[in-house]
Amino acid sequence: MLNDLTIATAAERLRRGELSAVDLTRAALDRIAATEPALNAFLTVTADAALTAAADADAALKRGAAAGPLTGIPIAVKDVIATRGVRTTAASKILEGFVPSYDATVTRRLRDAGAVIVGKVNCDEFAMGSSNENSAYGLTRNPWDLARVPGGSSGGSAASVAAGQALAALGTDTGGSIRLPAAYTGIVGLKPTYGRVSRFGVIAYASSLDQVGPLTRDVTDAALLLGVLAGHDPRDSTSVDRPVPDYAAAIAGGVAGARGLRIALPREYFAAGLQPDVERAVRAATDVLRDAGAALHEASLPHTEYGVACYYILAPAEASSNLARYDGIRYGLRAPSTGGLLDLYRDTREAGFGREVKRRIMLGTYVLSSGYYDAYYLKAQKVRTLIRRDFERVFADADVIVTPVAPTTAFRIGEKTADPLAMYLSDVLTIGVNLAGLPAIVVPCGLDHAGMPIGLQIVGPPFGEEAVLRAACAFEAATDWHALRPPDVAGREAPR
Amino acid sequence: MKLTVDQVRHVALLARLALTPEEERELAATLDQILQHMETLDRLDTTNVDPTAHIVAVDTPWREDVVTNAADTDALLANAPARDDDLFLVPKIID
């Protein structure tokens, strides 16, 4: 099946002329058409542009022109990432019909590498959520079980890759939004170090935490896509000017890459509350790494329990500021309003934002408001320092940290919507990484008793993507979990 | 603490949101619950801890003060909910 290829194998077959980019893109588009009634992973499918780009890729391959690493590869892009001339909504009514006049840097890098963008994928509105249930255009379903969430906020990105609608997808990760959906749908998700990948043209949620990264079928593809995305961008002042290593070389060792790797297991991440199946699978995964030659030791990240509180002060605070730009004047929705400018702002924002977005704007405005700034925002910034120091201490004698991704596997649709705090707590094992700005990868490491995927999280020090990829690749080479696929949902309708 | 509906209304005004009475009640309850969870941070002594605003130490980048991108006025205004020729149209704010 063309839809099940990895980027690396598809690229090789394209180069050899055994496969055409148009056929590969057609297969992706057919797959999208067949599975969308069940999944609702796409907000916009760019079939015509994709087929044109694929034909161009075929022409380039035939000419023997120097092919980019992604020439002819169908890729889906999360709808918070600007795509020139293609509707970009952040899954919000307030941006309905918005067509960017420019590409985000990551979009441009994809195009420059030859990728065929097949469309824009669903997400939680403005990337705010852990289940993809906050999209203004309907939720995305988990291909492994249509009654369950695919995780959020990059749920559409993850579902599209897991279900074979695209060979890879771009997501964004602010508190775990690449890693949680990757774990819930049994694929690989990589969140780079903060500043490694440009945020120019990425619709901002929480600027000091957001980072773009790839969702792929295996670690090789994650390394390949990171190589395309990473690098300094003068248009993003937080982007770091530092050479991009050869990520493909980092994983060349395969299972031997684990030899001599020092792995820390933080006891707070294996605490009570972990679903027994998840703990078992993750412990078994650490055994695999030990058998492959890694040295394991227990460690402590004592401020882990404060991560969620810290995050849900800082992220909404930054969001309330970032989302002030949606005012009904320059782009997006304008609500009918008979009053003056203030009424226009208020009516537009009331009509355009969904419930969770309003909740976070309110929370952020509250913690930044006069009299509360020190008690909440400044306090959280200081706790962020403590969390960062915890990681620094552990990395003094560890190359990577290995943990579960989430306390449970994918939960049922509607299960947590009435209790925002319970929903926020599903990010407890991913949030620390964002607060400390670290790179982390998620790889599939098992199934629970209901047959739902379980993920393994591997965290590195700042700019330690190579170590993270090396460990992930070693685990993948020693196991078959990455080869599992969800049941085929083609021809099925979403359950009511 | 207990967050009152009046406090919610005040914050909503600051945030430029015209909430419905039902939203005001719901937010008073859920925000209160969330803020209580946040108060767990008070258990930590952060007296001599510096805040982390940014994780990567980057110097302020500088560049020459030259135009690097030409504004595509039509493309930008094409997204405006209301325009008049090359201008964004807004309600009258001065009598």
Side-chain angles (χ1 to χ4, degrees), chain A residues 20-41:
Chain A
S20 84
V22 167
D23 285 346
L24 189 59
T25 300
R26 275 225 176 87
L29 294 171
D30 289 348
R31 186 84 178 152
I32 292 169
T35 52
E36 273 302 275
L39 296 176
N40 191 37

Side-chain angles (χ1 to χ4, degrees), chain A residues 236-301:
Chain A
D236 171 3
S237 64
T238 61
S239 140
V240 176
D241 192 359
R242 201 178 154 121
V244 177
D246 181 351
Y247 297 118
I251 57 170
V255 71
R259 211 169 294 151
L261 206 64
R262 298 169 305 161
I263 296 178
L265 305 175
R267 68 179 73 96
E268 293 81 2
Y269 280 63
F270 292 87
L274 218 53
Q275 188 180 312
D277 288 346
V278 171
E279 173 152 20
R280 228 179 343 261
V282 173
R283 296 273 184 203
T286 61
D287 289 346
V288 167
L289 286 164
R290 190 190 51 220
D291 293 347
L296 270 52
H297 67 271
E298 195 177 283
S300 176
L301 294 164

